[in-house]
Amino acid sequence: MNEIGGIYQLIVRIGEYSFHFNLTAIAMTWIVIALLLFFGYMASRRRHVLPNSMQVVGELLVAQFYGLTESTLGKERAKSYAPLIVALFMFLLLSNWIGAIPHMTEPTTDLNTPLSLGLMGFVLAHYAGIRAKGFKGYIKTYFEPIVFMLPMNLIGELAKVISISFRLFGNMMGGAIIILVVSHLIYSLVLPPFLYLFFSLFIGTIQAFVFTMLTVVYIAVQVD
Amino acid sequence: MEAVKSLRKKYCPTAMFIAIIAALVMIFIGHKDLARGIVLGTLFSILNFVLMGASIQLRVQRTRRTGAMIAFVLVLLRFGFLALPLVVSIYYDKYHIVTTIAGLFMVQAVMLADAVKKLVLSRPA
Amino acid sequence: MAIEGVDLIHAASYIGAGIAMGLGAIGPGVGEGMVGAKACEAIGRNPSEAALLTRTMLVGQAVSESTGIYSLVVALLLLFVV
Amino acid sequence: MEMDIQILVKLAAYIGGGMAIGFGAIGAALGEGYAASQADMAISENPEKSSDIVRNMLIGQAVAESAAIFALVVAILLLFIAPQDPTIVTAAALLAAGVSMGLGALGSGLGSGFPAGETCTAMVKVQDPKVLSRMTTVMLISQAVCQTPAILAMVIALMLMFVGFGGPDPVKAVALLSAGLCMGFGAIGSGAGSGLPGGAACQGIGRQPEAQGLLTTNMLIGAAVCQTPAIFAMVIALILMFVNLGDVPFNPYWAAFMGAGLSTGLAAIGSGYGGGMAAGASCEGIARNPKTVGVVTTTMLVGQAVAQSPVIFGLLISFILLFKGYGEAFALAPGMALLAAGICMGFGAIGPGIGSGIAATSAVSWVARNEENAGLLMRMMLVAQAVTQSTAIYSMVIALVLLFVI
């Protein structure tokens, strides 16, 4: 079970603080980004009325999530937020799927990736809230229904970040560990591929969708 | 009750028949203890089913809670009865424990086999 | 095994935190599920109001989640303050 | 000391046997009581059907009892077992066997009462004797599927009783006890839950006899998926029984093993039952509108998969507890932190698991009524389930804090 404990780390010391970087997760993130850029290039390279296969997939994804954002946030706001939402989903989907390839690990099994994406959604939602309601109106929401609710509302907002990022992390990490342990316990050729199919592909897709959907919905809750 | 009687007629002889066939096969391959075990187990399985049918009057026409309470007491009583063959087969080597346990499920097994047969036969239509 | 005052307090606070969060999560979990079920029902009846219903559901769930967040706060207090 | 161990082992075996038969009989009694009361209502509604209903009830009860008979067999074996050179590990193993079998039979007994009761209720309105016999057939099949968690629990119980676990190592004793608890608790939810699709399918056949094939298939898929938590619990129980960590110190490890068992075992209750609720709703939906079978089954599977997130969190915490590795502790607090992590995750996952099942139930049944909006409903269901699970995630966070920060 050495794989669980061993992490390739880069440790940078500045003064008395040391910063630990998980190199595997960073490398995997870059690989995912590279793959997505390549996909984007291929999908938009020769755009035709009769689309090629890449373009079909790309159009499908963009259209689906554009429509989804529009139905939740309204036409005006969808214009500014939908590109980010589509990109978020595609990044998460590929991140969760990449673990199915041998020697690759999902960057989402490192808590830092979901946490930073969750924080991004948090900042974005609150920025959207301030822009939509003005600073006064935004602050006012924290004193509802009564003034004393301020600490609870603050914690509730922070808990959203925790729940959204730990949900993704817990599911992906749980799946990865189950696959690892099962393949160690029974040296079977049949079961692990099925587990990959279930955890990486099926659960990964659902969790990527849930993460994206929740980000949209959190923005929607802030703006009105 | 007519319904209970018809059920008894339907399942119990089949269960006993299967048990006896199995016992004969076991005697034929030279394991008398196995044969005795399965017959003993099946006998008690059938008796349990008969008792269950006989106690049906006690259980119906009650509220859910009293029904469950009465069922609990009756289950414990019947299980005390079902424990007999197990104890016997643990104490006496004449009865093999594994086949006794197998025999205890004979009525249920016959019911399930009947259900599976019906399901398979109904599929092609 | 030295079971002394401070150690005992720590042990009790850890187990208390675990039980507080564990049992505190049951109620909100079921409650939020019921809110979600009603929201799905409402969308089934009236799909055109989906956006509004989603927001209403989230607000309802956030309110019923507050007891879960209280448990979280209590658990964290037990862990880090006691 | 020799004498004490003998008495301890006997005591453990008796308590284990008592728990096995006690919980098993409670499960069977609740299942039979449910079937009897439903049958009673059905008979008072339509006395002409009484012979069919009574017959069905009796068959249903006879099969619902088999889980309890497993428990009886294990209990009797426990009472009369005479282990070679007994140690404290043997005592723990025997106690754990009883707990595993008893709790395991509780869920299956309860669960297999649902199909029996629902079939009796549904028989009131059915005239065709062919349909009646089909309903009984499907009821029996679904009850047989319901017994799977009890059978898994029995396998673990028999292993605990008859596999030798070596010398008097107190850590091993706790690990075995934890394995029994894990399997026992883990089987409750799945056992009770996998009865729900059976009941709904039988009722559905009464309403829509021509959808029998679809309903049976969907019932089997749904019941099989909602038994995954029980299988997870069995995996953890097997690891707890057979993992060999060498010579480990007693103090933090006892808590780690106990926590690992409780985490997955308790977490499986909620997810198992929640998945069963979703499967039951899908059978009902298919009976309402058999044309929607494809989309209903898909929604059900997605709903069940998401409802299993809490048990996956429980599994994650269990694995971390099992394999993290600890130094010897001389105080109580480090061990308690590990135990608390397991308890926190285990209990914390029950509610969200059931809650996600409730959300999925409603979504699935409305997909069957309103097929055009299936995508919308599935989206709504996913969001609702995800938010429902946030309390399970808080529990996981507290458990992780207890594991890594403290």
Side-chain angles (χ1 to χ4, degrees), chain A residues 32 74 97 105 110 115 118 121 128-129 141 148 180 219 224:
Chain A
V32 169
W97 278 5
T105 50
D110 186 328
L115 196 58
T141 55
F148 305 111
L180 190 67
I219 295 174
D224 54 25

mmCIF file with all atom_site columns, all heavy atoms in Angstrom, chain A residues 32 74 97 105 110 115 118 121 128-129 141 148 180 219 224:
data_model
loop_
_atom_site.group_PDB
_atom_site.id
_atom_site.type_symbol
_atom_site.label_atom_id
_atom_site.label_alt_id
_atom_site.label_comp_id
_atom_site.label_asym_id
_atom_site.label_entity_id
_atom_site.label_seq_id
_atom_site.pdbx_PDB_ins_code
_atom_site.Cartn_x
_atom_site.Cartn_y
_atom_site.Cartn_z
_atom_site.occupancy
_atom_site.B_iso_or_equiv
_atom_site.pdbx_formal_charge
_atom_site.auth_seq_id
_atom_site.auth_comp_id
_atom_site.auth_asym_id
_atom_site.auth_atom_id
_atom_site.pdbx_PDB_model_num
ATOM 1   N N   . VAL A 1 32  ? -4.218  17.833 -18.238 1.00 0.00 ? 32  VAL A N   1
ATOM 2   C CA  . VAL A 1 32  ? -5.640  18.041 -18.545 1.00 0.00 ? 32  VAL A CA  1
ATOM 3   C C   . VAL A 1 32  ? -5.833  19.331 -19.319 1.00 0.00 ? 32  VAL A C   1
ATOM 4   O O   . VAL A 1 32  ? -6.565  19.380 -20.318 1.00 0.00 ? 32  VAL A O   1
ATOM 5   C CB  . VAL A 1 32  ? -6.462  18.068 -17.230 1.00 0.00 ? 32  VAL A CB  1
ATOM 6   C CG1 . VAL A 1 32  ? -7.874  18.541 -17.492 1.00 0.00 ? 32  VAL A CG1 1
ATOM 7   C CG2 . VAL A 1 32  ? -6.490  16.708 -16.604 1.00 0.00 ? 32  VAL A CG2 1
ATOM 8   N N   . GLY A 1 74  ? -30.734 33.392 -16.213 1.00 0.00 ? 74  GLY A N   1
ATOM 9   C CA  . GLY A 1 74  ? -31.360 34.371 -17.084 1.00 0.00 ? 74  GLY A CA  1
ATOM 10  C C   . GLY A 1 74  ? -30.440 34.739 -18.241 1.00 0.00 ? 74  GLY A C   1
ATOM 11  O O   . GLY A 1 74  ? -29.228 34.547 -18.182 1.00 0.00 ? 74  GLY A O   1
ATOM 12  N N   . TRP A 1 97  ? -11.922 11.841 -15.468 1.00 0.00 ? 97  TRP A N   1
ATOM 13  C CA  . TRP A 1 97  ? -11.801 10.685 -16.356 1.00 0.00 ? 97  TRP A CA  1
ATOM 14  C C   . TRP A 1 97  ? -10.368 10.220 -16.512 1.00 0.00 ? 97  TRP A C   1
ATOM 15  O O   . TRP A 1 97  ? -10.112 9.073  -16.847 1.00 0.00 ? 97  TRP A O   1
ATOM 16  C CB  . TRP A 1 97  ? -12.356 11.044 -17.748 1.00 0.00 ? 97  TRP A CB  1
ATOM 17  C CG  . TRP A 1 97  ? -13.833 10.935 -17.820 1.00 0.00 ? 97  TRP A CG  1
ATOM 18  C CD1 . TRP A 1 97  ? -14.677 10.662 -16.791 1.00 0.00 ? 97  TRP A CD1 1
ATOM 19  C CD2 . TRP A 1 97  ? -14.648 11.094 -18.974 1.00 0.00 ? 97  TRP A CD2 1
ATOM 20  N NE1 . TRP A 1 97  ? -15.971 10.645 -17.231 1.00 0.00 ? 97  TRP A NE1 1
ATOM 21  C CE2 . TRP A 1 97  ? -15.992 10.905 -18.568 1.00 0.00 ? 97  TRP A CE2 1
ATOM 22  C CE3 . TRP A 1 97  ? -14.390 11.376 -20.310 1.00 0.00 ? 97  TRP A CE3 1
ATOM 23  C CZ2 . TRP A 1 97  ? -17.059 10.990 -19.449 1.00 0.00 ? 97  TRP A CZ2 1
ATOM 24  C CZ3 . TRP A 1 97  ? -15.456 11.463 -21.194 1.00 0.00 ? 97  TRP A CZ3 1
ATOM 25  C CH2 . TRP A 1 97  ? -16.771 11.273 -20.766 1.00 0.00 ? 97  TRP A CH2 1
ATOM 26  N N   . THR A 1 105 ? -3.251  9.867  -12.495 1.00 0.00 ? 105 THR A N   1
ATOM 27  C CA  . THR A 1 105 ? -4.140  10.013 -11.338 1.00 0.00 ? 105 THR A CA  1
ATOM 28  C C   . THR A 1 105 ? -4.989  11.254 -11.551 1.00 0.00 ? 105 THR A C   1
ATOM 29  O O   . THR A 1 105 ? -4.545  12.215 -12.180 1.00 0.00 ? 105 THR A O   1
ATOM 30  C CB  . THR A 1 105 ? -3.364  10.172 -10.029 1.00 0.00 ? 105 THR A CB  1
ATOM 31  O OG1 . THR A 1 105 ? -2.402  11.192 -10.221 1.00 0.00 ? 105 THR A OG1 1
ATOM 32  C CG2 . THR A 1 105 ? -2.710  8.899  -9.594  1.00 0.00 ? 105 THR A CG2 1
ATOM 33  N N   . ASP A 1 110 ? -6.500  15.240 -5.179  1.00 0.00 ? 110 ASP A N   1
ATOM 34  C CA  . ASP A 1 110 ? -5.781  16.120 -4.259  1.00 0.00 ? 110 ASP A CA  1
ATOM 35  C C   . ASP A 1 110 ? -6.748  17.216 -3.839  1.00 0.00 ? 110 ASP A C   1
ATOM 36  O O   . ASP A 1 110 ? -7.322  17.898 -4.685  1.00 0.00 ? 110 ASP A O   1
ATOM 37  C CB  . ASP A 1 110 ? -4.565  16.711 -4.974  1.00 0.00 ? 110 ASP A CB  1
ATOM 38  C CG  . ASP A 1 110 ? -3.717  17.523 -4.019  1.00 0.00 ? 110 ASP A CG  1
ATOM 39  O OD1 . ASP A 1 110 ? -4.289  18.112 -3.087  1.00 0.00 ? 110 ASP A OD1 1
ATOM 40  O OD2 . ASP A 1 110 ? -2.494  17.569 -4.202  1.00 0.00 ? 110 ASP A OD2 1
ATOM 41  N N   . LEU A 1 115 ? -10.674 22.361 -3.840  1.00 0.00 ? 115 LEU A N   1
ATOM 42  C CA  . LEU A 1 115 ? -10.810 23.487 -2.921  1.00 0.00 ? 115 LEU A CA  1
ATOM 43  C C   . LEU A 1 115 ? -10.599 24.800 -3.661  1.00 0.00 ? 115 LEU A C   1
ATOM 44  O O   . LEU A 1 115 ? -11.346 25.771 -3.464  1.00 0.00 ? 115 LEU A O   1
ATOM 45  C CB  . LEU A 1 115 ? -9.799  23.348 -1.781  1.00 0.00 ? 115 LEU A CB  1
ATOM 46  C CG  . LEU A 1 115 ? -10.065 24.207 -0.558  1.00 0.00 ? 115 LEU A CG  1
ATOM 47  C CD1 . LEU A 1 115 ? -11.424 23.904 0.021   1.00 0.00 ? 115 LEU A CD1 1
ATOM 48  C CD2 . LEU A 1 115 ? -9.006  23.975 0.495   1.00 0.00 ? 115 LEU A CD2 1
ATOM 49  N N   . GLY A 1 118 ? -13.560 25.428 -5.745  1.00 0.00 ? 118 GLY A N   1
ATOM 50  C CA  . GLY A 1 118 ? -14.671 25.837 -4.892  1.00 0.00 ? 118 GLY A CA  1
ATOM 51  C C   . GLY A 1 118 ? -14.519 27.287 -4.454  1.00 0.00 ? 118 GLY A C   1
ATOM 52  O O   . GLY A 1 118 ? -15.477 28.061 -4.474  1.00 0.00 ? 118 GLY A O   1
ATOM 53  N N   . GLY A 1 121 ? -15.460 29.522 -7.255  1.00 0.00 ? 121 GLY A N   1
ATOM 54  C CA  . GLY A 1 121 ? -16.910 29.666 -7.364  1.00 0.00 ? 121 GLY A CA  1
ATOM 55  C C   . GLY A 1 121 ? -17.456 30.588 -6.285  1.00 0.00 ? 121 GLY A C   1
ATOM 56  O O   . GLY A 1 121 ? -18.331 31.426 -6.545  1.00 0.00 ? 121 GLY A O   1
ATOM 57  N N   . ALA A 1 128 ? -20.628 38.400 -8.045  1.00 0.00 ? 128 ALA A N   1
ATOM 58  C CA  . ALA A 1 128 ? -21.877 38.560 -8.783  1.00 0.00 ? 128 ALA A CA  1
ATOM 59  C C   . ALA A 1 128 ? -22.955 39.160 -7.895  1.00 0.00 ? 128 ALA A C   1
ATOM 60  O O   . ALA A 1 128 ? -23.746 40.012 -8.329  1.00 0.00 ? 128 ALA A O   1
ATOM 61  C CB  . ALA A 1 128 ? -22.344 37.212 -9.332  1.00 0.00 ? 128 ALA A CB  1
ATOM 62  N N   . GLY A 1 129 ? -22.977 38.703 -6.627  1.00 0.00 ? 129 GLY A N   1
ATOM 63  C CA  . GLY A 1 129 ? -23.964 39.224 -5.695  1.00 0.00 ? 129 GLY A CA  1
ATOM 64  C C   . GLY A 1 129 ? -23.787 40.717 -5.465  1.00 0.00 ? 129 GLY A C   1
ATOM 65  O O   . GLY A 1 129 ? -24.757 41.480 -5.482  1.00 0.00 ? 129 GLY A O   1
ATOM 66  N N   . THR A 1 141 ? -27.996 41.076 3.245   1.00 0.00 ? 141 THR A N   1
ATOM 67  C CA  . THR A 1 141 ? -28.442 39.676 3.230   1.00 0.00 ? 141 THR A CA  1
ATOM 68  C C   . THR A 1 141 ? -27.895 38.902 4.421   1.00 0.00 ? 141 THR A C   1
ATOM 69  O O   . THR A 1 141 ? -28.478 37.914 4.829   1.00 0.00 ? 141 THR A O   1
ATOM 70  C CB  . THR A 1 141 ? -27.994 38.960 1.950   1.00 0.00 ? 141 THR A CB  1
ATOM 71  O OG1 . THR A 1 141 ? -26.590 39.108 1.833   1.00 0.00 ? 141 THR A OG1 1
ATOM 72  C CG2 . THR A 1 141 ? -28.682 39.514 0.734   1.00 0.00 ? 141 THR A CG2 1
ATOM 73  N N   . PHE A 1 148 ? -28.933 38.944 14.647  1.00 0.00 ? 148 PHE A N   1
ATOM 74  C CA  . PHE A 1 148 ? -28.062 37.988 15.332  1.00 0.00 ? 148 PHE A CA  1
ATOM 75  C C   . PHE A 1 148 ? -27.618 36.841 14.444  1.00 0.00 ? 148 PHE A C   1
ATOM 76  O O   . PHE A 1 148 ? -26.765 36.079 14.830  1.00 0.00 ? 148 PHE A O   1
ATOM 77  C CB  . PHE A 1 148 ? -28.784 37.424 16.560  1.00 0.00 ? 148 PHE A CB  1
ATOM 78  C CG  . PHE A 1 148 ? -29.269 38.470 17.481  1.00 0.00 ? 148 PHE A CG  1
ATOM 79  C CD1 . PHE A 1 148 ? -30.624 38.714 17.639  1.00 0.00 ? 148 PHE A CD1 1
ATOM 80  C CD2 . PHE A 1 148 ? -28.365 39.263 18.178  1.00 0.00 ? 148 PHE A CD2 1
ATOM 81  C CE1 . PHE A 1 148 ? -31.069 39.690 18.477  1.00 0.00 ? 148 PHE A CE1 1
ATOM 82  C CE2 . PHE A 1 148 ? -28.816 40.237 19.022  1.00 0.00 ? 148 PHE A CE2 1
ATOM 83  C CZ  . PHE A 1 148 ? -30.172 40.473 19.180  1.00 0.00 ? 148 PHE A CZ  1
ATOM 84  N N   . LEU A 1 180 ? -7.763  0.966  -5.572  1.00 0.00 ? 180 LEU A N   1
ATOM 85  C CA  . LEU A 1 180 ? -6.415  0.569  -5.157  1.00 0.00 ? 180 LEU A CA  1
ATOM 86  C C   . LEU A 1 180 ? -6.470  -0.637 -4.232  1.00 0.00 ? 180 LEU A C   1
ATOM 87  O O   . LEU A 1 180 ? -5.774  -1.641 -4.447  1.00 0.00 ? 180 LEU A O   1
ATOM 88  C CB  . LEU A 1 180 ? -5.765  1.753  -4.438  1.00 0.00 ? 180 LEU A CB  1
ATOM 89  C CG  . LEU A 1 180 ? -4.285  1.634  -4.146  1.00 0.00 ? 180 LEU A CG  1
ATOM 90  C CD1 . LEU A 1 180 ? -3.536  1.637  -5.455  1.00 0.00 ? 180 LEU A CD1 1
ATOM 91  C CD2 . LEU A 1 180 ? -3.838  2.786  -3.285  1.00 0.00 ? 180 LEU A CD2 1
ATOM 92  N N   . ILE A 1 219 ? -24.268 31.010 -7.627  1.00 0.00 ? 219 ILE A N   1
ATOM 93  C CA  . ILE A 1 219 ? -24.300 32.351 -8.232  1.00 0.00 ? 219 ILE A CA  1
ATOM 94  C C   . ILE A 1 219 ? -25.742 32.845 -8.284  1.00 0.00 ? 219 ILE A C   1
ATOM 95  O O   . ILE A 1 219 ? -26.048 33.981 -7.922  1.00 0.00 ? 219 ILE A O   1
ATOM 96  C CB  . ILE A 1 219 ? -23.685 32.311 -9.644  1.00 0.00 ? 219 ILE A CB  1
ATOM 97  C CG1 . ILE A 1 219 ? -22.208 31.954 -9.565  1.00 0.00 ? 219 ILE A CG1 1
ATOM 98  C CG2 . ILE A 1 219 ? -23.841 33.674 -10.327 1.00 0.00 ? 219 ILE A CG2 1
ATOM 99  C CD1 . ILE A 1 219 ? -21.558 31.740 -10.906 1.00 0.00 ? 219 ILE A CD1 1
ATOM 100 N N   . ASP A 1 224 ? -30.037 37.125 -6.529  1.00 0.00 ? 224 ASP A N   1
ATOM 101 C CA  . ASP A 1 224 ? -31.334 37.740 -6.223  1.00 0.00 ? 224 ASP A CA  1
ATOM 102 C C   . ASP A 1 224 ? -31.783 37.555 -4.780  1.00 0.00 ? 224 ASP A C   1
ATOM 103 O O   . ASP A 1 224 ? -31.238 36.803 -4.015  1.00 0.00 ? 224 ASP A O   1
ATOM 104 C CB  . ASP A 1 224 ? -32.423 37.262 -7.165  1.00 0.00 ? 224 ASP A CB  1
ATOM 105 C CG  . ASP A 1 224 ? -32.580 35.780 -7.236  1.00 0.00 ? 224 ASP A CG  1
ATOM 106 O OD1 . ASP A 1 224 ? -32.205 35.094 -6.246  1.00 0.00 ? 224 ASP A OD1 1
ATOM 107 O OD2 . ASP A 1 224 ? -33.037 35.292 -8.255  1.00 0.00 ? 224 ASP A OD2 1
#
